[in-house]
Each structure stands twice: as C-alpha cells, then as structure tokens.
C-alpha cells in the first residue's frame, strides 16, 4: 500500500485580474511528494513558480483545486485553523535571508523558541550538523547570507516540520554559500523532511531528487534519476515538449496504440 504523500495538489489553478485582463498564472498543476524527497520547480520568469509555491504554502488561495499537506486540505480550513496547521507542519523560506529570521534573536534563540520543553539538545545538534555552532550566540546581522539561509532551514528540523517550501533560497548567494544551503537541504531530507523550492539557479539542480519544469503555468516535464518524463495530468492531458509541439502547428494530434511494440505514436491528423 502506497504511503500518503506529505504534499499533494490536484488541478491547482490561479487567476489574476489585471487592468489588461485576466492572467492565468497556474493551470491545472498536479504534484505528489512523499517524505524525504527534495524537488525543485524550474521555469522562466512568468511560468508560475512563485504563484504555485505560495498556494502550496497556504499563503495565497487557489482559484480552483486542492492543496493537501499531511493529508489535510489547507484551503478547506478557516484562516485561523490554516495558520495553526501551517505552524505545525511546514516551514516557509523566503528569497531574502533577512526575511526569514528575527533580527534581535541569536541563532540558538531562533531555534529554541520552536521547541517545546527542554530542546537544547536538538538545537545544538542541528546547529552543529549545519555548520552553525560557531554562530550559536550571534544575531543575523553577524552572519553571512548563506548562514542565515541554513539557519532558516534548520527551523524545520527542530520544529519537527514535515515540509519546507522555499522560494529562490540561493538566488542571493555565491557558489560556496549556495552549496552550503544544499547541504542543509540534504540533511533535512535524510531526516525525513520533504523540501520543495523554486529556483532559477541551475547550480543546485544536481542535488535534488526531482526537477519539476513549468511552462505557461503547467507542469511540462518531471526529471528524476536523470530521466526527463512528459506529464499526463489527472484529467488525461499530456504536455508535449516545445520541439514536439512545433511538429503539430494545428495543435491537433492522433494517438495510435501499437500493441505489437507496446508504444503510443503521435501522428498528424
């Protein structure tokens, strides 16, 4: 029996009304991520990455569709219940390192406030695992951008969260600092935490389990274990890569099932 995914969204849609008309930022996205998986959402600017992540994090209400975290649909809850559920299950990491931490608290205090009871042991463990022990008694102003982002990810581990959603967490970091953040992501994954982030940073993609490519607000491909796969959503719609779409300018295609070869062929009508 397949385990329940930590994160699942079905038919997720997001419209924005602008002075020039309605913009469809996210179009029918389906995603499932089990415990301990690391995944990156990629795509050009305007492809819907940030809109998607904000819905998955319980920050922006979808126009349509469902978001389940730990088996609970966030958008069927009241605002207060959703805030409690988010606080119990997920950590959100923002792009700017300064937006993730309290400026007046030391690294140790940032984490200690998230632990119930006597939590000095787990706080010290994660500060050490993420290379932050020497910053335990320093405030964010005394830390580099990479150290702040690693500390932001550490919050999930000490709070016992199942999911981290991060928007461009390495975009303002140099290569060394970005690698440190990805080491932190790997440490969380080994502890069973699921991590999903949007990124333009091609340096980090070799360090994740899945790469989810968005095009025009829809999932175009998913790459796992070095294999890029086209996606069939739960409505049966198939996203073709751009180079194949060009073969069918009328946007119509005949699907032919070849029983002998066990293949599906795409043919012009």
């Amino acid at each position: 029996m397949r385990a329940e995914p930590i994160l699942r969204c079905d038919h997720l849609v997001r419209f924005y009304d602008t002075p020039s008309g309605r913009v469809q930022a996210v179009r029918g996205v389906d995603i499932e991520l089990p415990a301990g998986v690391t995944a990156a959402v990629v795509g050009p600017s305007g492809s819907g990455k940030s809109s998607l992540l904000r819905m998955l994090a319980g920050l922006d209400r979808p126009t349509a569709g469902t978001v389940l975290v730990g088996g609970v649909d966030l958008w069927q809850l009241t605002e207060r219940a959703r805030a409690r559920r988010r606080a119990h299950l997920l950590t959100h990491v923002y792009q700017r390192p300064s937006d993730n931490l309290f400026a007046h608290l030391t690294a140790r205090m940032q984490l200690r406030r998230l632990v119930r009871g006597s939590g000095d042991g787990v706080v010290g463990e994660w500060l050490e695992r993420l290379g932050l022990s020497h910053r335990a008694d320093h405030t964010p102003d005394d830390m580099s951008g990479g150290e702040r982002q690693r500390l932001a990810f550490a919050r999930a581990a000490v709070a016992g969260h199942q999911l981290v959603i991060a928007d461009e967490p390495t975009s303002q970091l140099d290569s060394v600092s970005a690698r440190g953040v990805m080491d932190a992501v790997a440490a969380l994954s080994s502890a069973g935490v699921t991590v999903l982030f949007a990124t333009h940073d091609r340096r980090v993609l070799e360090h994740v389990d899945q790469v989810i490519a968005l095009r025009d607000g829809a999932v175009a491909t998913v790459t796992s274990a070095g294999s890029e796969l086209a996606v069939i959503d739960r409505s049966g719609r198939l996203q073709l890569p751009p180079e194949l779409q060009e073969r069918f300018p009328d946007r119509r295609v005949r699907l032919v099932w070849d029983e002998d070869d066990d293949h599906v062929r795409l043919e012009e009508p």
Side-chain angles (χ1 to χ4, degrees), residues 84-195:
R84 288 198 302 266
R85 193 69 180 174
R86 291 180 71 249
H88 180 66
L89 285 178
L90 68 91
T91 292
H92 192 235
V93 177
Y94 295 93
Q95 179 177 357
R96 291 174 52 188
S98 58
D99 290 341
N100 293 310
L101 304 169
F102 292 98
H104 64 289
L105 296 181
T106 66
R108 192 190 312 276
M109 294 168 66
Q110 305 271 357
L111 302 184
R112 184 67 185 80
R113 60 183 292 276
L114 299 171
V115 185
R116 295 179 180 177
S118 178
D120 291 338
V122 69
V123 168
E125 174 192 350
W126 279 96
L127 287 173
E128 182 175 356
R129 287 187 68 173
L130 301 188
L132 295 170
S133 294
H134 66 299
R135 295 298 195 191
D137 297 314
H138 292 249
T139 60
D141 283 345
D142 295 325
M143 301 178 193
S144 68
E147 289 170 338
R148 293 181 204 172
Q149 291 298 65
R150 298 205 306 271
L151 185 59
F153 278 96
R155 295 175 304 165
V158 300
H161 289 169
Q162 297 175 293
L163 174 66
V164 176
I165 293 179
D167 192 0
E168 301 278 0
T170 63
S171 66
Q172 299 188 6
L173 305 179
D174 59 33
S175 295
V176 174
S177 297
R179 179 56 188 264
V181 169
M182 294 313 298
D183 288 344
V185 168
L188 290 176
S189 175
S190 68
V193 180
T194 300
V195 181

Side-chain angles (χ1 to χ4, degrees), residues 238-258:
L238 173 65
Q239 284 280 339
L240 293 181
E243 59 271 18
L244 284 183
Q245 287 191 26
E246 294 173 1
R247 300 284 300 273
F248 304 100
D250 293 332
R251 306 191 69 80
R252 296 291 185 270
V253 63
R254 178 180 291 110
L255 298 179
V256 179
W257 170 249
D258 191 326

